[in-house]
Amino acid sequence: MRKIKICGLFRDCDIDYVNEAMPDFIGFVFAKSRRQVSGGWAEAMRPRLRSEITPVGVFVNQPLAKVARLLNDNIIEMAQLHGAENENYIQQLKTLTNKPIIKAVRVLSQQDIESAQHTAADFLLLDNGTGGTGESFDWSLVSKEKKRQQQQQQKQKQKQKPFFLAGGLTADNLEQAIAATSPYAVDLSSGVETDGMKDRDKILEIVRRMRNG
């Protein structure tokens, strides 16, 4: 069963919505964004979040010490890197924490997906840009890359990194997106919002579809 992440929670009631819906992951955005939250708010919300839901912190080119502290203080359980963090940054972060790392990839071509397979990060997040734009990328690039890797696996036993699919996902296109890309998880933010705020009914509906689909 595909997993689901609801990203960009920034109000107390958003925690109530996800506790009711029970996605697999939620995202706290610590980078500059209209959904940005403070470490203090996330720390206060963490005990309220159901233990079955994994909190992910979203960062853009932020100091290693800040990311590691939020991970090691158990405010978040995974770090999602959405900036220009290179392999050196990821390797250093891995020396500071044993928690999983997601590296976001801006997908403009199949080569972007192929190049990202060599990262030390545990997961990829395939998106059209820096996140939160509400626009999707060309999903056929994922299937092309999967075919390439299947051919490579026969020669080198190379395995594709598990990935979160993000960018423009809504209840209307979710089934199509999953069929086209076979992701480890789907990641929604603006697709479960109304007028820029998380919408309880949309969150419940999207998780219901994922669980029953």
Side-chain angles (χ1 to χ4, degrees):
M1 182 182 292
R2 308 294 172 195
K3 297 183 182 297
I4 182 167
K5 174 169 170 271
I6 304 296
C7 200
L9 309 187
F10 61 93
R11 298 177 299 165
D12 291 17
C13 63
D14 295 341
I15 303 297
D16 298 329
Y17 298 163
V18 295
N19 281 341
E20 184 179 359
M22 286 291 292
D24 301 283
F25 307 91
I26 59 94
F28 294 137
V29 178
F30 296 104
K32 289 190 181 301
S33 160
R34 66 177 180 81
R35 304 182 184 95
Q36 182 178 13
V37 301
S38 67
W41 184 84
E43 185 173 10
M45 291 300 107
R46 178 64 202 268
R48 289 182 48 185
L49 185 69
R50 290 183 61 163
S51 61
E52 301 94 332
I53 303 172
T54 301
V56 179
V58 180
F59 304 92
V60 174
N61 304 327
Q62 285 167 284
L64 279 163
K66 176 179 180 178
V67 180
R69 180 182 64 79
L70 289 164
L71 288 164
N72 294 331
D73 287 350
N74 300 315
I75 296 169
I76 55 174
E77 295 299 323
M78 301 174 76
Q80 179 176 316
L81 308 178
H82 250 285
E85 301 91 354
N86 58 21
E87 282 303 294
N88 183 53
Y89 182 105
I90 294 170
Q91 293 281 9
Q92 287 187 64
L93 183 55
K94 279 188 165 287
T95 68
L96 300 174
T97 182
N98 60 2
K99 293 190 174 176
I101 298 170
I102 306 168
K103 182 66 181 94
V105 179
R106 184 184 183 194
V107 179
L108 299 176
S109 69
Q110 184 182 342
Q111 178 64 37
D112 295 323
I113 306 173
E114 180 181 343
S115 299
Q117 300 301 319
H118 306 291
T119 181
D122 303 278
F123 298 88
L124 300 176
L125 182 139
L126 305 183
D127 199 352
N128 72 310
T130 56
T133 61
E135 298 176 3
S136 59
F137 63 91
D138 182 358
W139 296 328
S140 70
L141 297 174
V142 179
S143 58
K144 290 175 184 175
E145 176 59 14
K146 282 180 179 287
K147 288 178 183 176
R148 186 198 70 81
Q149 289 187 13
Q150 286 169 357
Q151 295 170 350
Q152 285 291 101
Q153 282 174 17
Q154 296 173 359
K155 301 175 184 176
Q156 305 172 357
K157 296 185 178 179
Q158 180 186 8
K159 203 171 181 182
Q160 185 184 39
K161 288 270 184 186
F163 67 92
F164 290 69
L165 181 69
L169 297 178
T170 67
D172 294 332
N173 65 13
L174 192 64
E175 188 175 333
Q176 177 189 357
I178 291 171
T181 63
S182 299
Y184 166 77
V186 292
D187 189 324
L188 295 98
S189 186
S190 58
V192 288
E193 291 180 349
T194 299
D195 298 329
M197 302 292 178
K198 290 293 181 286
D199 184 313
R200 171 184 173 272
D201 292 339
K202 287 183 178 180
I203 292 173
L204 289 171
E205 172 64 12
I206 208 85
V207 175
R208 183 193 67 78
R209 289 195 184 199
M210 286 293 294
R211 299 294 184 239
N212 299 331

